[in-house]
Amino acid sequence: QVQLVESGGGLVQAGGSLRLSCAASRSIFSINFMGWYRQAPGKQRELVAGIGITAGATPNYADSVKGRFTISTDNAKNTVYLQMNSLKPEDTAVYYCNAQLRSLDSIILRSYWGQGTQVTVSS
C-alpha cells in the first residue's frame, strides 16, 4: 500500500504560490518527523523543510527557501503541508514527502517516502 501520497504540484509562474499536501496512511505508525525534500535534474535530493511531530517543534528550512516556504502539520488528518510563496524558477523540482521515526537521540529508525509531485516554476 502507498503510505505517503503527495498532491498539489503543478505549473506556476514565478512569484506565484503552491501548496503541497502529504497524507500519511494509518499504516505509518508513531512517526515523529515529517519533511519535504526536492530533487531537480542533475542535483542531489535536498531537505527543503522539516518539522517534528510534537508540540512546540520548530521547523527548519533550507536557506534557499527561508522566508518563502512554510511547513505545517495537521495531526488530526495525518497530513503535512508545504506552503510555497514567491516561487522562483530554481524551485523547479520533484518534491517528495518524507516521514520518519526518530529516537530520542535523533537517530532515524524508520523512513518513508512518497512518490513525488512535480513543481515547475516558469519564468
Side-chain angles (χ1 to χ4, degrees), residues 32-35 49-53 57-60 71-73 80:
N32 53 18
F33 174 89
M34 296 193 77
I51 189 169
I53 310 301
T58 57
N60 58 89
I71 187 171
S72 61
T73 60
V80 63

Side-chain angles (χ1 to χ4, degrees), residues 35-38 45-48 94-96 98 100 113:
W36 289 93
Y37 292 73
R38 69 184 181 188
R45 185 173 297 187
E46 64 174 344
L47 176 65
V48 177
V94 178
Y95 284 71
Y96 297 91
N98 175 250
Q100 298 173 5
W113 291 95

